[in-house]
Amino acid sequence: MAGGKKSQLSGPAPSSRTLVIDNGANTIKAGFASEDNEPRIIPNCIARDRHRKTFVGSELDKCKDFGEIAFRRPVEKGYIVNWEAQKEIWDREFFDEKAPQKCDPADARLVLAEHSNSLPALQTHCDQMVFEEFGFASYCRGPGPALNAYNDVQAIFQTPRPPETVVEYPAEVMLVVDSGYSHTTVTPVLQGRPLHQAVRRLDVGGKLMTNYLTRLLSVRHFDMRNDTYVVNEMKEAACYISLDFKGDLEKTWKGTRGERRLDYLSGAGIAKDYVLPDSHTRFHGVVREYEPGVSAKARKGAVSTEDVLTLRNERFVVPELLFHPSDIGMHQPGLGDLVMQSLSELPIGLWPGLLANIVVVGGNALFENFIQRLQTEVLQRVPDACIVRVARAQDPIACTWVGAANFARHAHVETLAVTKQEYEEHGSAWVARKFALGLGVDCDPTG
Amino acid sequence: MNNFGVIEVAGGKTTRAPGWAYVPDVGPSPAQALQPTNRKGRAARNQAGPSAADVSARQDAKIRKELEALDRDTNKDVNIPIPPKVGGSRAQTNKHTPNVRKILQSQKTFANYLDDYQALLALAETNPAAAAALNPANAAPPKAAPPSTARNSPAPPPPEPKSTAASKRSAAAAKRAAAKEAKEAEEAAAAKAKAEAKPKAPEPLAESKDEDPPQSYPPDGTILPAYQKPPPPAHPSDNDPLLVSRIPPFPSDGELRALMTAPPLSYLEARGTWGGEETGYPTRVFCEVCGYWGRVRCMKCGARVCALDCLEMHKAECVTRYGL
Ligand SMILES: [Zn+2]
Ligand SMILES: [Zn+2]
């Protein structure tokens, strides 16, 4: 099934470069398979600050004052929804004369990582844009989580092996937990093929957690609803996943009326002070050790010009939503149950391989203790004899891109890629079916 | 002080509070109220106050509103127009194809597209032809070619056994059918494996019938090749019956094939399913003010607070919202 190769006899010459894009809701990860070992991270938004200055994509790097900054995002729920905005960002980053990663689509292949379970209409829009507007010579759209199988998975687990071992892609078996801005998904992957029937999603991601922290702060400290950028930085810097939720909640309770608990007064190692940016001298917030009374004084404006707030249970109840979405009334299972729902779709003979190779990717993997907590949650739910190994990719934000780039260099890409000519001959429905079928089983597993 | 009818039961020494067990009231739990089960049982217990139903409705509405807010991308509705380009741009405006023009002009949100898709699925069940006509995937590409080329192309055919009838169905409905077939094939393969001692290559999936002859099918054990490196050195206790680990049988290639070729689920199908409180753990409730366990309940609105301190703070907000 060398569809791409065959038609190139009559079509254009084989494309010389492959642009690899992992088009996330928060950031785009982009680079050329032939030249780059790591992607450029591009904010996937059009932003407007309080001085009404607009920033498109990577222009946001020039922004200093993020107070009250507003965002327009082309990607919603993980999928490209608004192409007017997405095209503007892609144009400026890839296609314009002065684009930082200038690419001539007519002489290039695009490998685009997408989230599973998209809507057919959105996939069609994407395919139409790629061929009819940008005019890529060749194109392949594939599920991002599964592309992680084209990473050196055993290196992630630090599995002992002889140094001369040649890494073969894709990995035989792995369970990918992808926790990003829009949601968290569980994807069992066999030989690079996602087992679609067992893909499961939890609608908790970085956005919801930032919004939740924003709400908690607005109730307890001051209104930050127009400062989600600031809150997001605070979340990334100060939140952690608790390994003892009940214990940590006890330690952060003030106590009953008139009787402040010692742990509350001392901070018990959990409380932290967060110094907010002031948009004059400090453009990013800073976490500080808790100093009793500092935030109260700061609020009165008596001693300091700093805005300081003390974070207590906010530090861990926010990422706790990954494991207990019902804490905010969401009727969805936590990540431990989600993994089990995925496994329950599969023959039990596959469980040992999947459970021993759980890889966590996506920005939320950076929360302290994510790996340990997920391991505990899964261990609680599987038979005692099961070996459960959970690991975080070295760079959880870039690793889907790295996998996609390895895929773009692998023979498998030829099986899946579609040429512009094929698109023009067979139409977008044919292209959509081809991508939905994926690699199938019959192409040689080693390529 | 107005306690809103609540007596604080949690003393200063209840350090081992497991959260959900300390709630002293007998009214409905707001989380339970969201569940359709146990309605009768709840009604019987609802004698505590005449406003119990109101209270639970207030809590439900509040939770729903808050979840919607948490799902939003921005606090305010922002409308940021595309800024004009500052030189160096590609001169290619007004050259869009009709498809592209439509896509770029669309101001639909994900929720709009999801509604469209669900409507399309419903239509596909009652009127497949109409659904196919509405499917955006069937829009003509710029240079339309005869549809028959799809059959002769090297790429895989559409995932239906009857490709003539299939081409008229919408892609969405087709996917669904393929999912069903895959599931059936999977079940059939599983049943076969049980019936026969050594399952032969199972029925190839319907979709691969015309172009992938069964002989291209790899023999068992080739999809995931067996471990080929030398085994670890023997250990004296290797045969100790107490230490033998029970490894579940590895699935046949037939099962694996069915799993690896099954089509993707739809957006809603892929969402994890909530088992409710029967299967999971009791829903935890928290103080709305400080985030500690919500051990007492405001009788006016159903909100949970930890103790009297927080109840007083809640009271101010509650009065503003629901009156005295
Ligand atoms: Zn409280
Ligand atoms: Zn109230």
Side-chain angles (χ1 to χ4, degrees):
Chain A
M1 286 201 303
K5 277 178 195 154
K6 228 180 233 175
S7 56
Q8 275 165 8
L9 292 176
S10 51
S15 33
S16 50
R17 290 172 105 195
T18 299
L19 176 63
V20 179
I21 299 181
D22 174 12
N23 201 75
N26 190 38
T27 57
I28 300 170
K29 279 69 71 175
F32 293 100
S34 47
E35 299 136 56
D36 302 324
N37 290 321
E38 53 187 47
R40 194 165 63 98
I41 312 277
I42 307 159
N44 198 8
C45 59
I46 299 173
R48 191 174 59 198
D49 69 10
R50 59 177 142 195
H51 316 291
R52 300 193 73 76
K53 183 166 168 31
T54 308
F55 304 87
V56 179
S58 56
E59 288 173 2
L60 194 63
D61 297 344
K62 289 181 227 146
C63 179
K64 291 267 185 281
D65 179 5
F66 292 97
E68 290 172 42
I69 195 162
F71 295 101
R72 172 174 172 185
R73 298 187 193 276
V75 173
E76 205 188 329
K77 302 276 175 193
Y79 312 106
I80 306 174
V81 170
N82 188 285
W83 271 103
E84 189 199 20
Q86 191 66 77
K87 173 176 149 50
E88 184 65 21
I89 296 168
W90 280 19
D91 277 350
R92 293 181 186 227
E93 303 296 338
F94 310 123
F95 308 130
D96 285 352
E97 291 289 318
K98 290 175 185 162
Q101 283 172 308
K102 178 89 179 84
C103 169
D104 176 13
D107 185 32
R109 169 180 285 167
L110 173 68
V111 169
L112 180 66
E114 66 167 357
H115 276 294
S116 303
N117 316 110
S118 181
L119 302 175
L122 295 179
Q123 292 176 316
T124 299
H125 286 181
C126 186
D127 300 345
Q128 288 170 336
M129 290 298 294
V130 165
F131 283 123
E132 297 186 25
E133 177 66 17
F134 305 117
F136 275 95
S138 167
Y139 162 56
C140 177
R141 169 167 61 71
L147 291 172
N148 280 285
Y150 296 81
N151 276 307
D152 187 354
V153 172
Q154 291 318 311
I156 296 174
F157 286 102
Q158 301 178 325
T159 310
R161 58 182 173 190
E164 70 275 11
T165 312
V166 179
V167 180
E168 278 179 34
Y169 302 129
E172 278 179 11
V173 56
M174 68 192 298
L175 187 74
V176 180
V177 173
D178 184 351
S179 190
Y181 178 86
S182 307
H183 53 230
T184 300
T185 56
V186 174
T187 309
V189 186
L190 233 54
Q191 297 285 15
R193 283 81 162 173
L195 305 184
H196 285 301
Q197 300 297 301
V199 173
R200 286 295 179 278
R201 184 187 68 252
L202 161 66
D203 291 322
V204 174
K207 175 189 71 177
L208 182 127
M209 290 189 276
T210 297
N211 286 347
Y212 185 48
L213 180 56
T214 306
R215 186 211 286 170
L216 295 181
L217 296 175
S218 301
V219 169
R220 297 174 193 174
H221 297 276
F222 30 76
D223 191 348
M224 301 202 64
R225 282 174 298 173
N226 292 324
D227 279 308
T228 44
Y229 185 92
V230 175
V231 176
N232 186 59
E233 281 194 335
M234 191 190 313
K235 178 196 76 178
E236 291 177 359
C239 284
Y240 72 96
I241 292 175
S242 175
L243 298 177
D244 174 17
F245 184 81
K246 284 177 184 174
D248 286 355
L249 199 58
E250 285 303 327
K251 284 183 198 160
T252 48
W253 190 41
K254 61 183 181 304
T256 46
R257 173 158 271 224
E259 192 191 320
R260 290 287 169 265
R261 290 178 157 196
L262 286 177
D263 275 345
Y264 182 84
L265 295 172
S266 74
I270 295 175
K272 298 269 182 205
D273 286 336
Y274 193 83
V275 189
L276 292 167
D278 61 9
S279 55
H280 301 295
T281 56
R282 188 184 298 107
F283 296 111
H284 298 279
V286 181
V287 185
R288 269 195 209 151
E289 284 310 308
Y290 170 62
E291 213 181 300
V294 163
S295 70
K297 270 184 233 157
R299 215 173 307 151
K300 282 178 197 148
V303 182
S304 152
T305 52
E306 288 176 338
D307 270 333
V308 182
L309 51 84
T310 301
L311 297 169
R312 295 176 189 272
N313 62 30
E314 299 83 4
R315 291 191 62 210
F316 57 89
V317 301
V318 169
E320 182 70 14
L321 296 182
L322 288 164
F323 298 94
H324 278 104
S326 57
D327 284 357
I328 50 166
M330 256 181 114
H331 281 189
Q332 292 194 32
L335 191 45
D337 286 335
L338 198 71
V339 167
M340 295 316 290
Q341 286 187 15
S342 170
L343 289 178
S344 71
E345 295 291 321
L346 302 172
I348 216 159
L350 283 178
W351 290 25
L354 293 166
L355 287 170
N357 293 284
I358 303 177
V359 175
V360 186
V361 306
N364 300 326
L366 295 169
F367 279 127
E368 190 187 333
N369 297 339
F370 192 119
I371 303 305
Q372 295 91 315
R373 175 68 182 273
L374 180 59
Q375 176 144 11
T376 308
E377 297 274 339
V378 174
L379 273 171
Q380 282 168 358
R381 291 169 170 83
V382 296
D384 284 342
C386 285
I387 292 170
V388 176
R389 285 197 308 176
V390 186
R392 172 168 78 193
Q394 283 98 337
D395 183 346
I397 290 175
C399 75
T400 295
W401 182 90
V402 173
N406 285 334
F407 168 78
R409 295 185 279 258
H410 190 281
H412 278 170
V413 76
E414 306 296 340
T415 310
L416 218 53
V418 168
T419 63
K420 186 162 191 285
Q421 193 194 7
E422 285 176 313
Y423 171 79
E424 282 161 4
E425 271 176 29
H426 308 313
S428 56
W430 178 86
V431 171
R433 275 196 298 271
K434 184 168 177 182
F435 289 151
L437 282 174
L439 287 171
V441 200
D442 293 312
C443 74
D444 179 359
T446 55
Chain B
M1 188 188 68
N2 183 358
N3 278 358
F4 285 48
V6 171
I7 302 151
E8 181 171 357
V9 292
K13 285 178 185 161
T14 53
T15 49
R16 282 157 285 109
W20 41 269
Y22 265 82
V23 178
D25 57 86
V26 290
S29 137
Q32 273 169 7
L34 288 172
Q35 300 299 116
T37 48
N38 279 337
R39 289 231 170 260
K40 276 180 194 161
R42 224 159 41 75
R45 284 187 284 115
N46 270 358
Q47 311 306 322
S51 63
D54 279 354
V55 166
S56 124
R58 281 173 177 179
Q59 263 317 85
D60 287 0
K62 186 162 176 252
I63 287 173
R64 213 173 303 124
K65 227 181 99 193
E66 287 182 346
L67 283 176
E68 275 166 29
L70 290 177
D71 191 45
R72 293 180 53 162
D73 246 304
T74 46
N75 175 40
K76 287 183 291 193
D77 274 322
V78 283
N79 178 28
I80 305 176
I82 306 284
K85 280 189 184 159
V86 198
S89 58
R90 298 200 300 177
Q92 54 122 256
T93 35
N94 303 328
K95 263 171 47 188
H96 306 308
T97 68
N99 285 336
V100 170
R101 211 173 304 132
K102 226 176 83 194
I103 293 167
L104 290 178
Q105 280 166 1
S106 169
Q107 293 302 316
K108 282 186 185 175
T109 64
F110 181 82
N112 299 144
Y113 283 112
L114 183 58
D115 288 347
D116 289 354
Y117 176 65
Q118 295 301 117
L120 192 69
L121 284 184
L123 187 62
E125 270 173 28
T126 53
N127 190 348
L134 283 174
N135 192 333
N138 294 344
K143 291 170 230 164
S148 62
T149 48
R151 279 202 89 246
N152 305 325
S153 77
E160 279 87 27
K162 295 148 275 174
S163 42
T164 43
S167 61
K168 291 199 175 171
R169 281 200 266 152
S170 77
K175 265 189 187 174
R176 206 149 281 265
K180 227 178 256 169
E181 281 162 20
K183 196 142 198 185
E184 278 160 14
E186 195 186 321
E187 280 161 9
K192 250 188 161 181
K194 269 186 200 157
E196 303 168 14
K198 171 98 180 107
K200 293 272 286 172
E203 295 294 318
L205 275 192
E207 67 209 50
S208 50
K209 235 170 209 163
D210 33 30
E211 282 184 4
D212 294 326
Q215 64 262 28
S216 82
Y217 187 74
D220 256 8
T222 54
I223 292 184
L224 276 185
Y227 183 74
Q228 279 162 356
K229 284 152 205 146
H235 187 275
S237 326
D238 271 358
N239 293 320
D240 185 335
L242 288 174
L243 294 178
V244 170
S245 57
R246 270 162 282 274
I247 296 169
F250 199 73
S252 70
D253 273 9
E255 278 179 278
L256 292 179
R257 163 174 283 262
L259 288 168
M260 289 164 82
T261 53
L265 299 178
S266 73
Y267 179 77
L268 291 179
E269 285 169 334
R271 183 180 282 162
T273 48
W274 164 258
E277 286 172 35
E278 291 82 11
T279 55
Y281 313 91
T283 306
R284 313 190 292 194
V285 284
F286 298 92
C287 172
E288 290 195 2
V289 179
C290 76
Y292 187 64
W293 302 117
R295 301 188 297 195
V296 290
R297 185 204 307 277
C298 167
M299 296 309 277
K300 203 175 188 82
C301 73
R304 303 291 190 117
V305 288
C306 63
L308 288 180
D309 253 4
C310 286
L311 183 66
E312 266 182 66
M313 286 163 94
H314 164 76
K315 193 181 70 178
E317 186 217 326
C318 193
V319 167
T320 329
R321 191 179 299 203
Y322 301 112
L324 270 169

